[in-house]
Amino acid sequence: MKQKNLLVELFVEELPPKALKKLGDAFAGVLFEQLKALGLTAADSAMTPFASPRRLAAHVTAVAERAADKAVSQKLMPVSVGLDANGQPTPALLKRLAALGADASAVTGLKRAPDGKAEALFYDSVVPGVDLAVGLQKALDEAIAKLPIPKVMSYQLETDCELPGWSSVHFVRPAHGLVALHGSSVVPVKVLGLTAGNATQGHRFEAAKSPVLLADADSYAQTLLTDGSVIASFNDRRFAIVQQLAQAAERLGPGYEVLMDESLLDEVTALVERPNVLTCGFEEQFLEVPQECLILTMKANQKYFPLVDTHGKLTNQFLVVSNISPDDASAVIGGNERVVRPRLADAKFFFDQDRKKTLASRVEGLGKVVYHNKLGTQGERVERVRAIARAIGQQLGGDVLAQSADTAAQLAKTDLLTDMVGEFPELQGIMGGYYARHDGLSEDIAFAIEDHYKPRFAGDELPRNMTGVVVALADKLETLVGMFGIGNLPTGDKDPFALRRHALGVIRMLVEKELPLELTALLAATVPAFTDKIIDAKGPLTDFIYDRLAGGLREQDFSAQEVDAVLALRPERLADVSQRLQAVRAFAALPAAAALAAANKRIGNILKKSEGEGVAVQESRLVEVAEKDLFAAMQATVPAADAEFANGDYTASLMTLAALRAPVDAFFDGVMVNAEDPALRANRLGLLKHLHEAMNRVADLSRLAT
């Protein structure tokens, strides 16, 4: 079959920028997969997606005009059902053949083959390959049906439909053009009331030609750039923006750096068809406002790129990615500067107004803000966080840390009542830190207020001081215990109170800060702060936290077996988990590891079946040589292993126990555990129980058995 490259483009009105990349990848991906499934592509066919504000497109190499015919063997039915006692076709078989377009003459050509316990009839046929026009129509319909559209629009068609002006179409945006080129030939497909051609539209304002005529599939990107002034590739356009931003900062001098925000880059890439970066500025007086406020308003509201100096301090210069490239850009620059000025003035006004009241004076107002209808107000929540923070602070640093944590916890939520946070919720905590310093509070308290939401996301930094760590822990524990206590658990991908993130935050602080806190005790100390508002759900919450921990450890390159072995014991101090895992990994590399893991599993099974039996080992009741040798070996190794475990040297503890392999093997080879004599049996079970406890202090070694 003759192969050529294929280009499909859907030309539409401006697509939602935050969804553009996903829409472009999905459109091209599904189209390619469907063509592949229909046999229209080659083994080495490659797909290139295109996505701009007004188009979704895909270029596919080596697409056939017609798919190759395919030999198909179809199971019909068991022989006993399809043929009667005389070997003649039954009505059921004839009906099945008729459905496949065959008649009774095909019976002699049917094949018999085993199918499970019975023998079945199979019909061999050749399915004709699909033509490109038919296949592409199916692929295009599927690609549009499977688009991850955030919000569907409805509009009416005026032409090429059953009821002009009345026939409705549902799509992400009104579509105005369709291109389908196989080489230089138009493929006759239709979609959304459009018929495919070879013409598209370029830049809304700067296209050299309108319409833009495409000679063939391979000239698409270059023709759009030359005649349409459009960079069709999302990735190429993004790269051009990054380059221009860097060049603009370089022109300003060595002291300027661009704040490259990945999500903002994607959004701006989805807003322009041919980017042109311009340098703008604002009055220096606005730099008196905390730079987080200015950066947020420039990025979130205006889609501008702030410029900072080499120390990370915001400058009064910023960069704009324009969609037009006039000879004189002064009007565009002036317009952007005029637009941003009121935004910055608002931020300055909010900042000045907020500082007229202290954070302490806002505490009372939290009692008027509802946190949750079952858990009370923000004021009540603050009191719970304070109680939890005092308890944790007392344990970690005595009265001094408990007092500073209490103060920070009392003030941590007060910035929720400020105008700045009301306008920019993303600044909660950050503004609290600024206002705390303005109120004359210590840096320790200011940092704690600012950091108590951390870590906000995966990879985020942890609180900078112990006061912040204590308050952040208390805040997250209050949320977790409270929400689990009222049954407000995350389901599927829904987690409105970010409980998964809170659990991961608790884990990270306990582990990375190496806090000597036990998880069960920590949760138990949190519950009383709620009085009678919740039920005690420590069990499910503990499972939830260990599940999050297990997932995180597997992402750190620990095997599922290693993680399972350590977490099966539910170690109370999460700070020890990493050391336990390293010890298990070192143990697993020993020649004796497999045999000891298998023996450990066997011992566990024996003890389960003999639950309640077993006594403290009496040496006088050891009869067989093998059990005496095992007892002696344990006397020599277990105390040393226990001492190493107590000192936190988990690797050494397991290495010491590895010496028990030979006596353990000999014991199982030469000793009958379930002896008829009850006293003898109890003594041997006691020996195994003692061995099992010694071997499983670091991890459940039986989980390493294959």
Side-chain angles (χ1 to χ4, degrees), residues 10 16 26 93 107 176 195 205 361 447 494 576 581 609 633 659 680 686:
L10 188 62
L93 177 60
V107 173
H176 297 297
T195 301
F205 307 111
S361 70
F447 277 139
K494 293 182 179 179
D576 294 346
L581 283 165
K609 293 176 183 177
L680 194 59

Side-chain angles (χ1 to χ4, degrees), residues 196-219:
N198 66 340
T200 186
Q201 295 294 326
H203 194 288
R204 192 180 284 279
F205 307 111
E206 298 185 348
K209 297 179 181 179
S210 182
V212 175
L213 298 178
L214 303 171
D216 54 46
D218 293 341
S219 64

Side-chain angles (χ1 to χ4, degrees), residues 277-571:
V277 172
L278 303 171
T279 304
C280 306
F282 58 83
E283 291 80 356
E284 288 192 5
Q285 64 173 349
F286 292 122
L287 293 176
E288 298 171 9
V289 179
Q291 68 179 47
E292 292 90 345
C293 308
L294 305 182
I295 290 170
L296 184 60
T297 192
M298 282 192 282
K299 285 164 58 175
N301 298 121
Q302 308 304 136
K303 316 305 175 192
Y304 297 159
F305 289 87
L307 287 163
V308 296
D309 62 21
T310 52
H311 301 293
K313 187 177 180 182
L314 184 68
T315 71
N316 68 324
Q317 303 285 315
F318 62 93
L319 301 178
V320 173
V321 183
S322 173
N323 194 36
I324 56 176
S325 305
D327 294 332
D328 180 7
S330 59
V332 180
I333 293 171
N336 280 286
E337 290 177 342
R338 281 194 301 275
V339 167
V340 78
R341 195 172 291 118
R343 290 281 186 180
L344 302 182
D346 285 347
K348 187 174 188 307
F349 174 77
F350 294 146
F351 186 55
D352 291 340
Q353 289 298 111
D354 286 342
R355 288 182 295 172
K356 293 178 180 179
K357 290 180 66 176
T358 65
L359 292 180
S361 70
R362 298 179 186 273
V363 171
E364 187 179 348
L366 291 172
K368 301 174 184 176
V369 179
V370 175
Y371 167 60
H372 191 282
N373 63 345
K374 292 183 180 179
L375 296 175
T377 66
Q378 281 285 4
E380 291 175 277
R381 180 167 186 250
V382 164
E383 290 305 310
R384 292 194 292 268
V385 174
R386 288 179 67 185
I388 300 163
R390 284 195 300 270
I392 297 173
Q394 190 69 44
Q395 189 172 348
L396 293 177
D399 293 341
V400 174
L401 183 56
Q403 182 56 52
S404 63
D406 182 43
T407 301
Q410 183 185 33
L411 302 176
K413 302 297 181 184
T414 53
D415 68 353
L416 296 175
L417 303 180
T418 63
D419 292 337
M420 186 71 84
V421 174
E423 181 70 15
F424 302 112
E426 302 91 334
L427 295 176
Q428 55 188 303
I430 294 171
M431 294 314 302
Y434 278 105
Y435 297 144
R437 293 182 186 92
H438 180 264
D439 292 349
L441 296 170
S442 68
E443 279 292 298
D444 189 56
I445 299 297
F447 277 139
I449 292 172
E450 184 178 340
D451 292 351
H452 84 280
Y453 289 104
K454 294 179 180 178
R456 297 170 185 253
F457 50 85
D460 190 19
E461 62 183 14
L462 298 181
R464 286 164 282 189
N465 58 37
M466 280 307 296
T467 304
V469 169
V470 170
V471 178
L473 258 180
D475 185 61
K476 290 170 175 56
L477 287 168
E478 192 277 341
T479 301
L480 288 165
V481 171
M483 290 302 159
F484 268 76
I486 60 173
N488 201 344
L489 280 59
T491 56
D493 59 349
K494 293 182 179 179
D495 189 6
F497 287 89
L499 301 187
R500 294 184 180 94
R501 178 167 57 79
H502 284 311
L504 289 172
V506 169
I507 291 166
R508 281 192 59 196
M509 283 184 279
L510 291 174
V511 172
E512 295 177 33
K513 295 293 185 179
E514 298 182 351
L515 302 181
L517 299 172
E518 296 189 348
L519 183 60
T520 302
L522 206 53
L523 298 179
T526 303
V527 173
F530 289 86
T531 59
D532 59 349
K533 288 183 180 292
I534 64 171
I535 61 168
D536 189 342
K538 290 195 298 293
L541 178 53
T542 303
D543 293 341
F544 182 76
I545 292 173
Y546 278 112
D547 285 346
R548 306 280 82 68
L549 176 60
L553 291 171
R554 291 188 194 105
E555 290 174 4
Q556 295 175 31
D557 203 29
F558 289 108
S559 72
Q561 265 189 322
E562 292 166 344
V563 172
D564 192 28
V566 171
L567 296 191
L569 300 186
R570 294 294 180 91

Side-chain angles (χ1 to χ4, degrees), residues 642-696:
D642 287 348
E644 288 159 345
F645 177 86
N647 290 330
D649 194 346
Y650 302 132
T651 301
S653 181
L654 287 180
M655 294 298 180
T656 299
L657 291 170
L660 294 173
R661 177 190 173 174
V664 167
D665 287 347
F667 177 88
F668 281 114
D669 286 342
V671 178
M672 174 68 72
V673 177
N674 291 318
E676 291 185 11
D677 182 348
L680 194 59
R681 181 172 64 250
N683 201 55
R684 288 172 179 173
L685 288 171
L687 181 64
L688 291 183
K689 186 176 182 181
H690 183 38
L691 175 62
H692 195 258
E693 289 171 353
M695 291 180 68
N696 291 286

Side-chain angles (χ1 to χ4, degrees), residues 152-189:
V152 175
M153 289 182 64
S154 296
Y155 60 95
Q156 284 68 48
L157 299 176
E158 297 295 336
T159 59
D160 201 14
C161 62
E162 185 179 351
L163 296 171
W166 291 92
S167 295
S168 292
V169 169
H170 307 287
F171 195 53
V172 59
R173 292 290 186 271
H176 297 297
L178 178 65
V179 173
L181 289 174
H182 188 232
S184 57
S185 303
V186 174
V187 184
V189 292

Side-chain angles (χ1 to χ4, degrees), residues 567-644:
L567 296 191
L569 300 186
R570 294 294 180 91
E572 287 291 345
R573 291 197 178 186
L574 302 192
D576 294 346
V577 167
S578 180
Q579 293 170 268
R580 289 173 184 256
L581 283 165
Q582 297 295 349
V584 167
R585 179 166 289 182
F587 172 79
L590 295 175
L596 282 172
N600 195 56
K601 187 173 183 179
R602 184 175 178 182
I603 293 169
N605 290 334
I606 292 171
L607 293 176
K608 281 180 188 175
K609 293 176 183 177
S610 309
E611 193 170 351
E613 295 189 61
V615 294
V617 181
Q618 297 182 37
E619 191 173 1
S620 60
R621 286 186 175 172
L622 298 172
V623 178
E624 304 290 345
V625 174
E627 60 183 330
K628 291 179 179 178
D629 289 346
L630 176 58
F631 179 76
M634 289 172 60
Q635 292 292 95
T637 57
V638 171
D642 287 348
E644 288 159 345

